[in-house]
Amino acid sequence: MHDTDHSTGTIDRTTPARSRTDDSDSVRGRIDDADGSGNGGGSSSSSSSSSSSSSSVGHGGETVAPAGHTGDAASDAGRAAVPTVDEVAAAAGAASSELASTVPSTRAAWLEAVADALDGRVDELVALADEESHLGTTRLTGEVARTTGQLRLFAAVLRDGAFLEVVIDHADASTTPPKPELRRMLRPTGPVAVFSASNFPFAFSVAGGDTASALAAGCPVIVKAHSAHPRLSRLTATIVTEALRSAGAPDGTFALVEGREQGTALVQHPAITAVGFTGSLAGGRTLFDLASQRPAPIPFYGELGSTNPVVITEAALRGEAAGELARGLAASFTLGVGQFCTNPGLVLVPSGSGFAELVAQAAADTVAGRMLTPGIAESYAAGTARAAGHPGVRTLLGGGTAAADSGVPTVLATTAATVLDALEVLLEEIFGPATLVIEVADDAELHAVLAEVGGALTATVHAAPGEDIAGLVSRLEPIAGRVLFGGWPTGVAVGWAQHHGGPWPATTSLHTSVGASAVRRFQRPIVYQDAPERVLPEALHEANPLRLPRRVDGVLELPVPARA
């Protein structure tokens, strides 16, 4: 069921939470982990990152691949001609004004052209993605559909026009003080740096949601490729660049860079005005700090980690419902070898319910799967061993060995008292197919644990029909960006109402990285006071030539549909 959801309408990422297990303590290692490994847990390891660096370094230490760079491994001669970060950033800066002046319908056509181009080469893309990610052709084919659907969603956002938030107040000398004419709208921020994720090589990578939403806003994009799928990144970038060029987008609209040094340089480059990131907590925090410490700080929109707590009430576990819930949880936390940012890592249940044993039984036949990289598998093994080795934690499933790059499904169980005495160990996100069932004696223990969980992308409630859960919901609302009632969190529908974010450390801002409003991250408000119409953007002209929804003198105006 989850695979179907994922391929049709739900995007799931992999985001390790509270304190991801990173394989390197060095800043360089953590930045490479930030590389997009994110939501993929300690998504990149020092071993995988070093191989990525060496594979993409050219003469002069350059490791930047332009959008048109192709081939499985470019020759030294080819790499010598690859432009530097300064060059691609300068090109993006030069294109910025032209992109900002394009009407929304033009950019919508660009996004649709990219979607069509990716759909037209889906078999080639999926085959290469499977070689590098081991995620399987069924899952990856669905993910391409998610990616192109996402691009088309933002095309619809552009044609709708409400994203510009046009507001016009006409001058009124009768007010105190007298009101001048004010015309307000959102404008693109400028060139955006996007860091790809390891666990979604399409939907959160080169042509993923950050790229789509930034282009929709009218911002040039420079993507930092993830080291877990370099060849796929280059091929995708080539397709995107060619599609944009054919559709009429200016040179500099899109580019790709590779290597952790280039990622660091990108965040610090003065031409970059915002950063979109999906990765580990440590890597993301390193880049977040770099963005904040620039002479001119810029916004850093990072998705960093989440344990996605699930609360199951006593009434919900009565009768056959307990077995059904156990099977649902088992399917959710093992989906995609657990490499989703919305993986249900913490499950709080009443003491004595025996639910943890039911989950272990339900997941017992799930075989260990190959993880995205050996480094992620190593981090997963270390994280589960650390949690399982803590006094008071029982291992009900897992603990065995598998191939070096595989993740063994693991079910751990403990009490609320144990968790409260070992927060840094037991509330740390484990990126992979593991879940921790926490038995709580009463509401006081439940609320005490929830108070320590920290920000999460999701929180889920399973209760009996008609049960009074208003108090529980009020406890969950402050810690999660999305609260689910029934079901499981591994499924992020891409639509107008979606919010994929949450309080720190789930994300670094109040904005979403999935859904129509993700475009808001790469826009800033500007007001024109008493401006002559000839200098105003078309969106603010009195006659409303772009037929945009807008608020005029406090009254919402919706354009009359044009006749066919």
Side-chain angles (χ1 to χ4, degrees):
M1 182 179 79
H2 292 281
D3 285 332
T4 302
D5 287 347
H6 174 66
S7 63
T8 57
T10 58
I11 288 186
D12 275 304
R13 253 181 321 189
T14 325
T15 312
R18 179 181 182 100
S19 165
R20 301 189 178 179
T21 19
D22 296 87
D23 355 42
S24 172
D25 292 329
S26 69
V27 170
R28 287 182 53 151
R30 285 184 282 122
I31 288 178
D32 189 66
D33 194 43
D35 193 343
S37 330
N39 286 46
S43 338
S44 10
S45 67
S46 49
S47 60
S48 65
S49 63
S50 62
S51 64
S52 168
S53 290
S54 63
S55 69
S56 59
V57 171
H59 297 300
E62 299 163 1
T63 64
V64 185
H69 188 61
T70 59
D72 289 354
S75 64
D76 288 342
R79 293 186 188 284
V82 170
T84 64
V85 168
D86 280 340
E87 290 170 331
V88 295
S96 189
S97 294
E98 185 173 351
L99 261 69
S101 66
T102 57
V103 296
S105 60
T106 296
R107 297 200 300 276
W110 295 351
L111 295 179
E112 289 166 340
V114 173
D116 291 345
L118 292 170
D119 280 340
R121 298 179 69 173
V122 61
D123 291 341
E124 180 183 2
L125 289 165
V126 166
L128 183 53
D130 192 35
E131 285 183 26
E132 292 190 314
S133 70
H134 332 299
L135 290 173
T137 57
T138 300
R139 146 76 192 270
L140 291 166
T141 301
E143 193 182 329
V144 173
R146 293 288 337 131
T147 304
T148 57
Q150 200 162 236
L151 287 159
R152 294 186 179 100
L153 170 68
F154 283 110
V157 169
L158 287 166
R159 291 197 169 94
D160 171 82
F163 79 102
L164 291 172
E165 296 183 14
V166 174
V167 182
I168 297 174
D169 284 343
H170 290 108
D172 186 351
S174 68
T175 64
T176 304
K179 184 173 61 179
E181 180 182 84
L182 301 173
R183 294 175 182 255
R184 179 189 187 275
M185 67 179 294
L186 298 181
R187 299 284 280 162
T189 60
V192 171
V194 170
F195 283 71
S196 297
S198 63
N199 57 324
F200 276 79
F202 294 112
F204 290 89
S205 190
V206 174
D210 286 348
T211 296
S213 56
L215 290 175
C219 299
V221 173
I222 303 173
V223 175
K224 163 65 180 68
H226 195 279
S227 58
H229 44 263
R231 293 181 297 148
L232 176 66
S233 298
R234 296 171 199 145
L235 176 60
T236 305
T238 298
I239 294 170
V240 171
T241 301
E242 291 174 350
L244 289 170
R245 184 179 295 123
S246 297
D251 290 343
T253 298
F254 178 86
L256 182 78
V257 303
E258 294 182 45
R260 78 177 155 237
E261 291 84 2
Q262 281 56 49
T264 304
L266 199 55
V267 173
Q268 296 175 305
H269 199 283
I272 298 301
T273 62
V275 179
F277 172 86
T278 299
S280 70
L281 175 59
R285 183 56 192 256
T286 298
L287 294 179
F288 185 21
D289 290 346
L290 289 178
S292 301
Q293 293 164 5
R294 291 170 31 137
I298 58 174
F300 180 90
Y301 301 112
E303 184 194 327
L304 309 182
S306 183
T307 51
N308 305 300
V310 176
V311 179
I312 305 178
T313 69
E314 183 176 2
L317 290 172
R318 290 173 185 157
E320 296 182 1
E324 183 178 348
L325 287 171
R327 290 187 291 273
L329 174 59
S332 183
F333 85 82
T334 61
L335 179 65
V337 201
Q339 296 167 119
F340 287 82
C341 59
T342 51
N343 208 42
L346 303 175
V347 183
L348 294 95
V349 300
S351 298
S353 64
F355 184 69
E357 286 76 10
L358 291 176
V359 176
Q361 293 171 18
D365 294 333
T366 305
V367 298
R370 189 174 182 184
M371 301 191 80
L372 290 162
T373 69
I376 292 176
E378 291 168 9
S379 291
Y380 171 69
T384 54
R386 182 182 182 207
H390 189 80
V393 175
R394 298 177 292 139
T395 300
L396 302 180
L397 181 69
T401 58
D405 58 354
S406 295
V408 178
T410 301
V411 176
L412 305 175
T414 191
T415 64
T418 300
V419 169
L420 293 171
D421 285 339
L423 299 176
E424 293 306 314
V425 176
L426 299 181
L427 293 187
E428 176 182 283
E429 180 188 12
I430 300 174
F431 185 66
T435 194
L436 174 64
V437 179
I438 304 170
E439 295 194 346
V440 297
D442 50 33
D443 284 349
E445 282 196 346
L446 172 63
H447 296 158
V449 173
L450 290 175
E452 299 294 342
V453 165
L457 294 170
T458 71
T460 302
V461 178
H462 284 277
E467 187 174 0
D468 182 7
I469 55 172
L472 173 59
V473 173
S474 68
R475 293 278 184 172
L476 296 176
E477 285 175 345
I479 68 172
R482 178 165 56 109
V483 181
L484 293 79
F485 299 85
W488 301 98
T490 41
V492 185
V494 180
W496 291 84
Q498 186 58 271
H499 182 83
H500 190 60
W504 176 272
T507 52
T508 61
S509 77
L510 299 178
H511 294 280
T512 181
S513 62
V514 177
S517 59
V519 69
R520 184 61 180 82
R521 297 173 296 170
F522 308 118
Q523 298 174 280
R524 67 179 185 88
I526 182 169
V527 172
Y528 301 83
Q529 180 171 325
D530 293 329
E533 186 166 89
R534 67 180 181 276
V535 304
L536 288 172
E538 269 192 289
L540 292 177
H541 286 195
E542 187 69 18
N544 196 11
L546 300 182
R547 307 181 65 80
L548 300 170
R550 59 187 191 174
R551 188 172 293 277
V552 180
D553 295 329
V555 179
L556 181 63
E557 293 184 353
L558 300 177
V560 177
R563 292 183 179 180

